[in-house]
Amino acid sequence: MPRVVPLAITISPGDSRSIAGQIVDAIRRKISAGDLAVGGQLPSVRGLAQQLSVNPNTVSKAYGELVAGGWLVARAGLGLYVAAQRDQLSEEERDRRLDAAVERFVNDVVAIRCSPDEAITRVTHALGSLSIRQSA
């Protein structure tokens, strides 16, 4: 029986994303980086909600989004597990999502008057600290 994988997730109250969105992004990042292995069990909704001091409905919403996106699989009566990753996006959809993410990022950077050089340096550093698998 797979063991429950502890999740080291931090919720930031100042983040523009919803709390459920932060949970989704954190779990997807951990799966992509290999911190959460395929078949690993996630904490229960109540357990993660208690750990993060958030409403269980928020965790349930995040888990539901991850299941719908193919990141997690639900096993009746047993809980949620990390799904085997597959190439889920076509090249066109991947490009569309990447363009949308870059546009959001650029708009945020411009709004805080960050120089392009500083933004590029920080993005390069942030991406360099990840060990993203190509299959994510």
Side-chain angles (χ1 to χ4, degrees):
M1 172 181 257
R3 66 177 182 84
V4 176
V5 178
L7 291 179
I9 294 175
T10 303
I11 300 299
S12 176
D15 196 310
S16 61
R17 296 171 296 166
S18 68
I19 293 172
Q22 290 181 55
I23 294 169
V24 168
D25 288 348
I27 292 174
R28 286 192 311 198
R29 190 177 198 167
K30 287 185 174 296
I31 291 171
S32 295
D35 294 339
L36 291 174
V38 172
Q41 186 176 15
L42 274 75
S44 67
V45 168
R46 287 179 191 257
L48 186 58
Q50 185 175 23
Q51 174 194 327
L52 299 175
S53 299
V54 300
N55 188 309
N57 290 333
T58 302
V59 174
S60 181
K61 179 179 176 181
Y63 277 179
E65 187 174 328
L66 289 162
V67 169
W71 294 89
L72 302 178
V73 292
R75 295 183 186 157
L78 298 175
L80 291 170
Y81 295 83
V82 175
Q85 297 302 298
R86 59 187 189 274
D87 289 331
Q88 301 172 357
L89 303 176
S90 67
E91 273 302 309
E92 291 174 356
E93 179 62 16
R94 181 186 167 279
D95 287 346
R96 187 192 67 74
R97 289 186 183 194
L98 181 58
D99 288 343
V102 168
E103 185 174 327
R104 282 191 308 272
F105 174 76
V106 168
N107 286 333
D108 286 348
V109 166
V110 168
I112 62 171
R113 297 183 181 152
C114 177
S115 74
D117 289 341
E118 183 180 358
I120 290 168
T121 299
R122 290 194 183 202
V123 168
T124 301
H125 178 74
L127 291 174
S129 66
L130 297 174
S131 57
I132 299 174
R133 293 183 296 179
Q134 293 299 317
S135 62

